[in-house]
Amino acid sequence: MKTIMNFILKILELLKGDAQTKIAKYLIGSALLLLVGIGTLKFKYKEYSLEYTDEINIMGYLLLMIGLVMIVHRYLTIRNNPISLVYGKGMENMDIHSPIEAVPKYERFDCISLNIKEINSYDKKAVIEDYTFNKTLLENRIQNKNSKKVYVGALGSFPYLFLLGNLFKNAYSNVQVLDFNRYKEGGKWYKLPLLYEGEKAITHKIISSNNKSIQETITDLNDSENNEVGIALGYTFSINKNAIPKTLEENTLYLETSLGTEHDILSSEEVQTKLLKELSNFMASLWTGHEKIHLFVSAQSSMCINIGKMYMNNAHGKLIIYNYDNDSKSYNWSIEFNKGNLI
């Protein structure tokens, strides 16, 4: 059923176009036909006669005026209320062009691209400097203050994506995060489907040898004497316990999806929204018993951005976000984050 719904929504996107512009175009076209001398056909019902007149049709001028007014109004609307596409390049050899093809066709014509400076997001210093710059640019909406909707697409390290996502939490009411399928057509950006099409529901599952539930494990962690705790989220790949700092190995909540780990396993808004709500509750519970939470994440880019967007200054506490180094198979650096500030 949800597959059909997603199909219908996709068809509506393709057919929708810009209704006002289309109507204006047809009105102007009809007006020109009337004004160039094609004439008007009149049908008289009672006499059953068909008459033709080539006199100037007032209706033509009326349609032309209405069409032109609609075009001007649409132009002013686009100029004052555009759509923004923010493109973050945190990896080498990324396409220099923003992924406009992932934006629905009916929104592309008034979409303004905002390309963030390309950096090496696996370098801690570069990530910190980039966040400081983008905090002014994006959080204060310097270049997109009139945007009615913002699309965000980015690739890079987890700290880079988390911090980028966090900049869209307050001043933005309508943000949609794009994702990237590296295995489709040599790599393709796409908008997440609204609904999940799988048969089995996706939720969090704990990785534990003592058969305790997530809530029972959180209770145990809060009862421990440690004032710092970890959360390991293995969505794409499992988090290797040995990669985590020794002091946190036995004081970490290890989670993955109920369907295991897989590339792009969280490719729908419905699933991500559900898991983010669960994660927010887990973190809020752990902050009641700990000063800091250490966060280790293996996930697709859209989920990493949405985790940052989920962080709430008024409800969440100190968070330490980690970068994974594939060469050493370990987490080689981290950034402490607290209420929008890097510590």
Side-chain angles (χ1 to χ4, degrees):
M1 183 62 182
K2 290 184 177 180
T3 301
I4 296 175
M5 286 299 298
N6 276 330
F7 175 76
I8 293 174
L9 290 172
K10 186 65 176 177
I11 293 298
L12 289 175
E13 280 186 0
L14 294 174
L15 295 178
K16 184 176 179 180
D18 182 56
Q20 184 169 329
T21 303
K22 285 186 174 181
I23 293 172
K25 180 181 68 175
Y26 288 125
L27 289 177
I28 293 174
S30 300
L32 292 176
L33 288 176
L34 294 173
L35 296 175
V36 294
I38 292 181
T40 304
L41 289 174
K42 295 182 179 180
F43 178 71
K44 294 183 179 181
Y45 173 73
K46 292 183 179 180
E47 292 81 3
Y48 299 100
S49 64
L50 189 65
E51 297 179 359
Y52 172 83
T53 176
D54 60 357
E55 64 185 15
I56 295 176
N57 197 313
I58 297 178
M59 182 60 70
Y61 285 107
L62 180 61
L63 293 179
L64 180 62
M65 183 175 64
I66 295 174
L68 291 175
V69 169
M70 291 181 69
I71 288 291
V72 172
H73 177 268
R74 190 68 188 106
Y75 168 76
L76 295 175
T77 302
I78 293 172
R79 186 184 64 180
N80 296 326
N81 202 20
I83 292 171
S84 295
L85 170 58
V86 178
Y87 182 40
K89 295 176 287 185
M91 299 174 63
E92 294 182 349
N93 302 319
M94 287 183 64
D95 195 335
I96 61 174
H97 303 292
S98 59
I100 189 67
E101 71 280 358
V103 176
K105 287 185 177 180
Y106 68 92
E107 292 181 323
R108 292 178 193 175
F109 69 96
D110 63 347
C111 185
I112 300 173
S113 294
L114 175 59
N115 291 351
I116 299 176
K117 178 184 176 182
E118 181 178 350
I119 69 164
N120 175 14
S121 67
Y122 297 93
D123 178 80
K124 179 178 180 178
K125 181 180 178 182
V127 171
I128 292 175
E129 291 177 350
D130 184 71
Y131 174 74
T132 303
F133 176 79
N134 290 334
K135 189 173 184 181
T136 301
L137 179 69
L138 298 176
E139 196 171 52
N140 297 330
R141 304 192 67 162
I142 291 177
Q143 294 189 15
N144 58 343
K145 61 181 179 180
N146 295 322
S147 295
K148 61 183 178 182
K149 180 187 292 186
V150 177
Y151 288 95
V152 182
L155 296 176
S157 67
F158 171 66
Y160 169 74
L161 296 174
F162 174 94
L163 294 174
L164 178 61
N166 185 256
L167 296 176
F168 291 94
K169 65 183 187 304
N170 290 329
Y172 297 85
S173 58
N174 192 349
V175 177
Q176 295 198 357
V177 181
L178 304 177
D179 214 324
F180 184 77
N181 188 336
R182 66 189 66 198
Y183 301 108
K184 186 174 182 180
E185 302 176 14
K188 185 175 182 179
W189 289 93
Y190 65 97
K191 177 185 174 184
L192 291 173
L194 177 63
L195 303 176
Y196 169 59
E197 299 177 2
E199 296 181 358
K200 296 182 179 179
I202 298 182
T203 185
H204 281 102
K205 180 180 73 174
I206 189 169
I207 306 301
S208 175
S209 59
N210 56 20
N211 296 320
K212 288 189 176 182
S213 67
I214 295 177
Q215 291 301 330
E216 289 173 334
T217 303
I218 289 176
T219 299
D220 290 345
L221 290 170
N222 281 337
D223 289 340
S224 69
E225 296 181 356
N226 296 320
N227 64 349
E228 299 184 17
V229 68
I231 298 180
L233 302 173
Y235 299 137
T236 301
F237 298 106
S238 296
I239 303 294
N240 188 342
K241 189 174 183 180
N242 295 328
I244 290 177
K246 293 292 184 182
T247 55
L248 292 169
E249 282 187 6
E250 303 302 327
N251 203 49
T252 292
L253 179 66
Y254 296 89
L255 302 172
E256 63 179 30
T257 80
S258 53
L259 299 184
T261 59
E262 185 181 334
H263 280 289
D264 302 320
I265 196 171
L266 308 178
S267 292
S268 76
E269 290 186 26
E270 181 182 15
V271 169
Q272 290 201 14
T273 299
K274 179 180 180 181
L275 293 190
L276 288 167
K277 184 176 180 180
E278 292 178 357
L279 177 60
S280 179
N281 290 333
F282 299 155
M283 295 171 74
S285 296
L286 286 171
W287 264 309
T288 62
H290 301 87
E291 180 184 352
K292 300 178 183 178
I293 293 179
H294 298 250
L295 191 58
F296 311 89
V297 177
S298 172
Q300 60 205 76
S301 62
S302 61
M303 187 63 173
C304 294
I305 294 172
N306 276 324
I307 291 175
K309 186 171 174 288
M310 172 205 71
Y311 180 95
M312 298 178 290
N313 290 349
N314 60 343
H316 295 154
K318 293 181 181 178
L319 192 65
I320 302 178
I321 50 180
Y322 281 80
N323 175 71
Y324 182 75
D325 178 53
N326 192 53
D327 292 333
S328 63
K329 307 298 180 185
S330 64
Y331 292 91
N332 59 343
W333 55 264
S334 63
I335 294 175
E336 186 168 338
F337 184 80
N338 184 33
K339 305 186 186 306
N341 298 310
L342 305 184
I343 303 175

